[in-house]
Amino acid sequence: MPAFLSVSRLIDSVSQFIGRIADYMVLVCCFISAGNAIVRYLFNYSSNGWLEIQWYLFAYVVVLGAAHTLRNNEHVRVDLIYGSVSDRARIWIDIIGLIVFLIPACSFLAYLCWPYFVIAFQQGEVSANAGGLIRWPVKLVLFAGFALLVLQGISELIKRIAAVSGYIQLETKYEKPLQ
């Protein structure tokens, strides 16, 4: 189990690093958005490329930040019973959810995204908009985001199994959103 936990820590550190990059992408996107608005209203000039880079950056933030969000246990839950059961039951709910839903679904989505990236890269696919950007980077990030989510799901599974086995203490506190 210690070897698996060290792999989990490595995956966690990768997710945290990429999550920090996603955090800064939000700031970059804000600057691009503000700059684009200023140029459009002051100089009556706009470019589809600048609009598309904003869309790409928003996609990067969401897709690359998903693994970091999972690592921090801040993802969205459908809480029917999770908040009212014991810590041990929460861990088992997480284990079942990771094995049955998250890891298979994200693995399948990564598998589906890869050919779209390869085709876009090989063909040099470009947006149909005038002044649009190349498409393969955003398609690569879709694949990478799902792959990172699979890795983080594996890390979370390792931690939950270690917690059930008594190797580690795991915080299962979940703050239910106000409704």
Side-chain angles (χ1 to χ4, degrees), residues 113-125 135-136 139:
C113 287
W114 182 253
Y116 287 105
F117 156 69
V118 171
I119 291 168
F121 183 77
Q122 289 173 340
Q123 295 178 349
E125 183 181 348
R135 289 276 172 96
W136 68 262
K139 292 183 179 186

Side-chain angles (χ1 to χ4, degrees), residues 80-141:
L80 299 175
I81 58 170
Y82 195 84
S84 61
V85 297
S86 69
D87 287 347
R88 189 165 180 82
R90 287 181 187 159
I91 292 171
W92 277 107
I93 290 170
D94 287 345
I95 289 172
I96 292 167
L98 289 165
I99 291 172
V100 174
F101 297 111
L102 185 114
I103 294 172
C106 289
S107 297
F108 184 64
L109 289 168
Y111 169 78
L112 291 177
C113 287
W114 182 253
Y116 287 105
F117 156 69
V118 171
I119 291 168
F121 183 77
Q122 289 173 340
Q123 295 178 349
E125 183 181 348
V126 178
S127 170
N129 296 324
L133 302 176
I134 55 175
R135 289 276 172 96
W136 68 262
V138 77
K139 292 183 179 186
L140 176 61
V141 167

Side-chain angles (χ1 to χ4, degrees), residues 47-101:
S47 165
N48 287 329
W50 285 108
L51 293 173
E52 287 185 11
I53 195 68
Q54 290 174 35
W55 299 339
Y56 283 19
L57 285 172
F58 282 132
Y60 294 173
V61 167
V62 171
V63 174
L64 294 178
H68 181 61
T69 303
L70 179 61
R71 184 185 71 81
N72 289 330
N73 198 27
E74 294 177 351
H75 55 289
V76 175
R77 294 182 187 271
V78 179
D79 184 10
L80 299 175
I81 58 170
Y82 195 84
S84 61
V85 297
S86 69
D87 287 347
R88 189 165 180 82
R90 287 181 187 159
I91 292 171
W92 277 107
I93 290 170
D94 287 345
I95 289 172
I96 292 167
L98 289 165
I99 291 172
V100 174
F101 297 111

